Amino acid sequence: MTKLALGTHPYLLGFEQLERLVERTAKTGNEGYPPYNIEQTSEHSYRITLAVAGFTSSDLSITVEDNTLMIRGRQVDDSEGRMFLHRGIAARQFQRSFVLADGVDVGEAIMENGLLHVDLTRQVPEKVIQTIEIKKG
């Protein structure tokens, strides 16, 4: 028996892009830093929260391109001339990406107490019922 790919299943017409989306999501290269939460704040809204202690808002950038929310952080290394006996707080850059469904809009971003909150809203499409006329051939 031949195994069908998701995008080629006969009942899923027009979903070829879904398989590419899953592959793209798997390749985002997200590592475990910085840690984050995703919460549903209402029936149609979400909040992504990243723990970005030590970063200022000018160290962070948030962009959306091709339905991908990209959050990047880059700190300036100010350790020159300082001697650390222990350095457990890393000043490293990061890139965290999230693939957004069609109709998900990025709202505001808020920085408070070392946490970056990014609010998302899912637009609910209107229900459309279309009647197709059957013509005689």
Side-chain angles (χ1 to χ4, degrees):
M1 183 171 168
T2 305
K3 183 177 179 181
L4 293 175
L6 181 64
T8 60
H9 193 280
Y11 298 125
L12 296 175
L13 303 175
F15 283 90
E16 297 82 11
Q17 68 189 27
L18 186 58
E19 195 164 8
R20 288 190 299 272
L21 178 65
V22 171
E23 288 175 11
R24 187 177 78 178
T25 303
K27 294 178 184 177
T28 57
N30 283 336
E31 49 185 66
Y33 180 77
Y36 67 94
N37 292 337
I38 300 175
E39 62 182 299
Q40 186 167 2
T41 54
S42 76
E43 186 177 353
H44 303 292
S45 61
Y46 308 91
R47 175 174 267 190
I48 298 172
T49 301
L50 282 83
V52 291
F55 286 86
T56 64
S57 58
S58 62
D59 294 331
L60 302 169
S61 71
I62 302 171
T63 58
V64 177
E65 184 177 340
D66 294 331
N67 287 1
T68 300
L69 169 64
M70 192 73 67
I71 303 172
R72 294 180 179 95
R74 172 172 283 170
Q75 290 179 310
V76 177
D77 187 9
D78 63 350
S79 63
E80 188 174 322
R82 298 167 68 187
M83 185 173 80
F84 291 93
L85 300 178
H86 172 75
R87 185 160 188 183
I89 301 173
R92 63 178 175 173
Q93 64 184 21
F94 71 86
Q95 176 175 300
R96 179 68 77 177
S97 60
F98 303 89
V99 178
L100 305 175
D102 288 336
V104 174
D105 297 322
V106 178
E108 64 181 356
I110 303 166
M111 182 89 142
E112 69 177 347
N113 301 325
L115 298 173
L116 174 65
H117 305 287
V118 180
D119 292 325
L120 309 171
T121 305
R122 180 171 44 96
Q123 303 301 321
V124 180
E126 291 182 28
K127 186 180 263 189
V128 177
I129 299 174
Q130 182 179 6
T131 304
I132 309 301
E133 180 184 342
I134 302 172
K135 296 181 181 181
K136 295 181 181 179

